Structures are given as structure tokens and as C-alpha cells.
Amino acid sequence: MGFTSLAYLMDIDWLCAAFHRTRKDGAPGVDGQTWAEYAKNLEVNLQSLLDRAKSGAYRAPPVRRVYIPKAGSTTETRPIGIPTLEDKVLQRAVVMLLEPIYEQDFAIGSYGFRPGRSAHQALEDLWQQTMSRGGGWILEVDIRKFFDTLDHVHLRTFLQLRVRDGVLQRLVGKWLKAGVLEEGSISYPDAGSPQGGVISPLLANVFLHYVLDEWFAQEVKPRLHGVAHLLRYADDFVILFDREDDARRVMEVLPKRFGKYGLTLHPDKTRLVPFRRPPRKASGSKGDSNPPGTFDLLGFTHYWGRTRRGGWAVMRQTAAKRVSRAVRSIAQWCREHRHRPLGEQHAKLSQKVRGHYAYYGITGNVRALTGFLYAVHRVWRMWLTRRNNRREMTWDRFNRLLERYPLPPPRIVHSYVS
């Protein structure tokens, strides 16, 4: 069923709620306007925004493009589009309208950027599936530059299936066509949705719901000989198969399916991984000559390992690329702030370390957390040495310093194993 009238729900109170859900410390867009400045005359500003949005007079300003390091790479960067504050507020208001509609449609295996769902719930789902079925074949898929190549024509077609309100369609169209400001010049891409926009994650989920989730459930699974489970977090997804022949058939057809909608799969990062539980070996056995492989998802490397009781279980450890990225980020901070007082450095580093544990502190990952903490100690010591060339910060001196300024020890925050 398509909704033909939704915009009438957006009133001044609706926009006010959207404004207060917008981050106060968010980076400003091309107009430089901040949350605090806009709030000084909030009711007048929101009324003007509402009138322009509903009359069609609203013009989506260009997004300001910046680049951040890409996960696991020292050279590659990822473009982020920063909308203006008014764009953020209006996009949030539209997301508040559309979320309840699409939450009725989205698949149970879709976890990214949805209310009440998280990456750790996706990890737990995957763990439960692999453990209950003894593993299988993992199809690890990488969509090449998804947010940059998202096809506007197909996206608008998908949206129209459920949202036929002219005001909302017009607003989404303006955001898709909004220019990108980079190094003083504006370009107008004919594809893509800028990462960083409030509405981009929802649009991505809508697109992949029809291209992947619904197609897999309605057309692929009925044709399989065994059981399969699709788990997706935004544009990252894996499919677990019971049978190798099913996995290879789907792997062959996936590029054609995505190509039909203007997307391509990375040929080197899309692969089929044998992930069957290893057989229980008798005492003294040299082990399996064909051990199961490993795969990465949501920042963790997944592999089969021995439990304390000698059985096999799916283990997760922080992916090596994520550890390297985190340590590089902390090393850069230590370099830039090495002359700050020790107490100030300790407080900030403790905050960063606790933040790392908050995501990567899962059952079975203590060794990786311990390695990360040691790496942080090492870079902190190095930059403390460089701030005072007269006296080297030996490990003995540094260990005494840690007695006064200890960094938080590894901590398990998320426990998945009962």
C-alpha cells in the first residue's frame, strides 16, 4: 500500500522534535550555521523552514565534502557529506515520518541504522546461526562504492511503492540532486547519496531492501536445496549457506542482480569461505588438513576455536585492520598533545580506550583487547619520550607513571555465550 498523504503530519511541533534530535555539536554545513545560533530564534526559523518545505520553495543547499580515513587503510579515504543545519533538521523530520512505514517492511536480518537494532545484535544473530547449524559456507560480499553509485532513478521507483506524497517525493529528489562543495567548486553527481546525511541510511536500506533482501527471500530461498540466512548491516552483508552448491549458484547470480540496479561487487573482496565446524579429533591427532576459513564482518574476524572444555565454537576477535586504525588514531592524538599535562593526557586516553572496549569488548576477545592496550602504552611512551629529549622515558619510568595514571584494563561489555 502506498501512502499518498503524509506531509500534513509535519507541523511546527514535529520540526521542533526533529531539531532537538539533531546533534548540538555537529559540524556546520556550507552556510556555517550552528545549532546554538539557530536555536536563538527557533520558532521563527522552524516556521520559515516548514513553509518553504511544503510550498516547494525550499532549495537543498550543497553538502560540504570532507574526507576521513577508510577503515583499515593508511592511504584510502572515504568521502563524507556534511549538510547544513536546516537540511539536517528537515531530513530528520522526514525520517521520523518514513521510519514507521518501512519498519513494517524491512527484513528481520537487516540491522543497520534501524531503531532498536545494533551491530552487536547482528553479531549475536550470526553467532547463533553459525553455532546452531555447525557453520556452513559463508558468502562474504563487498559492494563497491555503494553510497557513491546508488542509482537515483531506481531509488525513486522503490520509494514510490510506499510513499506517494508529493511533498516528500519532491524533498527527497532535491536532496539527491543537491550539489557537493569541494575545494571551492560545486559538482552535481547524477548518482549516489552523500554519507553523512541524516536521510542517507534510510534511503540505503530502502534500496537494498528491494534489490537484495526481498529478492533473496522471495526468489532465491525457494530455489535452494538447503537452508540459507542473509544478515545485512547497511551495505555490509554475509549469507550463510548449509550447502556449497547453493552458495556457488547465488555467488554467480549476485553480480548480475546488482548490476541490473547500477551496482558492482568488488571482485577481490567478494568470496566464498568454507566455515564448517571442524571435526572432533581423537587425542594425538595432527588436526584437520582442510581447516575452516575466516571472514570479517562489522570489525571482527570470525573463526572456529577451541573452548575451555575442548569443544569447537565460533570465536570473534578485533579485525587486524581495525586495531591498526585505532592505534594510528591514538598515536596521532598523542603526537599532537604530547606537551599537555599528564593528567589531561591520561583522562583523554582513558576515554578513548574505554570507547574501544565499549564496541570490541565481547566474549572471547580479551587477547585482542590486551594487545590493543599494550599498543596504546607503547605509543604513549614513545611520544612522552619525544617531548623531552633530555631524558628518555624508559619502560621502568613509564611503568611507574602507569601506577599513578593507569589506563583502563580490558573489559568485556557484551557477553554472547551463556
Side-chain angles (χ1 to χ4, degrees):
M1 181 181 295
F3 289 82
T4 58
S5 181
L6 288 169
Y8 76 93
L9 294 169
M10 278 201 307
D11 56 16
I12 194 70
D13 292 333
W14 191 276
L15 284 188
C16 188
F19 174 79
H20 287 290
R21 292 189 187 185
T22 304
R23 285 183 54 181
K24 295 182 180 181
D25 59 347
V30 294
D31 60 357
Q33 191 168 55
T34 65
W35 193 95
E37 292 171 350
Y38 200 82
K40 291 178 181 177
N41 200 14
L42 183 60
E43 188 171 348
V44 173
N45 288 333
L46 292 181
Q47 187 62 57
S48 172
L49 177 61
L50 182 63
D51 293 341
R52 283 178 283 137
K54 291 194 174 183
S55 67
Y58 181 79
R59 298 184 62 183
V63 296
R64 181 168 65 88
R65 174 167 287 175
V66 297
Y67 291 88
I68 64 173
K70 197 172 183 180
S73 175
T74 57
T75 57
E76 292 184 85
T77 58
R78 183 161 56 98
I80 295 291
I82 302 177
T84 63
L85 181 71
E86 279 201 333
D87 240 6
K88 294 176 184 177
V89 173
L90 194 53
Q91 287 186 23
R92 174 64 62 193
V94 172
V95 168
M96 288 162 56
L97 282 175
L98 300 186
E99 260 184 358
I101 296 172
Y102 284 107
E103 280 302 304
Q104 308 300 313
D105 298 350
F106 287 158
I108 193 172
S110 169
Y111 286 90
F113 306 108
R114 293 179 58 189
R117 290 182 162 235
S118 68
H120 286 95
Q121 289 177 331
L123 290 168
E124 183 174 9
D125 182 3
L126 180 60
W127 188 87
Q128 294 287 352
Q129 291 289 334
T130 49
M131 286 295 294
S132 64
R133 289 152 57 179
W137 290 82
I138 294 286
L139 182 55
E140 186 180 5
V141 184
D142 183 271
I143 306 175
R144 178 178 280 171
K145 296 183 178 180
F146 170 71
F147 281 93
D148 295 334
T149 58
L150 191 148
D151 186 271
H152 293 175
V153 175
H154 289 301
L155 175 58
R156 282 194 285 263
T157 300
F158 294 146
L159 283 171
Q160 196 166 13
L161 295 174
R162 294 288 268 147
V163 180
R164 297 168 190 166
D165 183 289
V167 172
L168 299 188
Q169 286 187 352
R170 185 166 59 240
L171 285 173
V172 172
K174 289 180 178 181
W175 287 322
L176 292 175
K177 294 178 181 178
V180 176
L181 179 64
E182 184 176 5
E183 296 181 351
S185 61
I186 299 178
S187 60
Y188 295 91
D190 55 6
S193 179
Q195 288 178 269
V198 177
I199 202 168
S200 291
L202 177 62
L203 297 180
N205 272 336
V206 170
F207 195 92
L208 289 175
H209 169 74
Y210 291 106
V211 172
L212 177 64
D213 301 350
E214 193 175 75
W215 167 76
F216 185 78
Q218 297 182 3
E219 298 187 34
V220 175
K221 290 183 73 172
R223 293 178 168 85
L224 300 179
H225 297 109
V227 179
H229 182 70
L230 168 66
L231 189 143
R232 181 173 66 82
Y233 191 93
D235 59 324
D236 292 330
F237 70 95
V238 296
I239 310 176
L240 171 64
F241 296 90
D242 283 345
R243 297 170 54 114
E244 180 182 2
D245 57 343
D246 286 340
R248 294 199 178 278
R249 286 167 55 207
V250 174
M251 186 179 182
E252 182 179 349
V253 76
L254 263 183
K256 302 173 185 177
R257 173 66 181 180
F258 279 88
K260 179 180 177 181
Y261 295 95
L263 300 174
T264 57
L265 302 185
H266 200 295
D268 299 326
K269 297 180 181 180
T270 299
R271 62 195 185 103
L272 189 59
V273 180
F275 201 70
R276 184 70 65 190
R277 178 191 286 120
R280 184 181 293 273
K281 294 293 182 179
S283 177
S285 174
K286 294 182 179 180
D288 188 1
S289 59
N290 295 305
T294 66
F295 66 95
D296 289 355
L297 181 69
L298 298 176
F300 291 93
T301 298
H302 302 249
Y303 65 99
W304 284 99
R306 289 283 191 183
T307 66
R308 292 181 179 179
R309 297 183 178 181
W312 290 102
V314 176
M315 308 287 188
R316 285 78 52 89
Q317 68 179 24
T318 313
K321 293 180 179 179
R322 294 295 185 95
V323 175
S324 299
R325 183 179 69 172
V327 173
R328 283 197 307 271
S329 175
I330 288 178
Q332 181 66 23
W333 187 92
C334 289
R335 176 177 180 269
E336 295 172 354
H337 299 85
R338 62 186 182 275
H339 296 296
R340 304 300 300 170
L342 285 176
E344 183 179 318
Q345 291 188 43
H346 170 258
K348 190 65 177 180
L349 286 175
S350 295
Q351 180 183 0
K352 290 178 178 292
V353 169
R354 279 192 294 266
H356 186 86
Y357 297 160
Y359 183 78
Y360 294 104
I362 68 172
T363 304
N365 198 33
V366 171
R367 182 180 296 179
L369 298 182
T370 302
F372 166 75
L373 180 60
Y374 174 74
V376 173
H377 284 163
R378 196 174 54 201
V379 297
W380 193 19
R381 170 185 169 270
M382 180 185 72
W383 286 109
L384 288 178
T385 297
R386 294 193 181 188
R387 84 171 185 168
N388 187 359
N389 294 325
R390 298 178 184 177
R391 187 180 179 188
E392 181 186 359
M393 176 64 73
T394 64
W395 276 105
D396 286 340
R397 272 191 71 203
F398 184 70
N399 287 331
R400 289 196 298 272
L401 180 144
L402 287 179
E403 292 177 1
R404 184 178 178 186
Y405 298 107
L407 294 178
R411 176 170 174 255
I412 298 303
V413 180
H414 309 277
S415 178
Y416 298 145
V417 185
S418 56

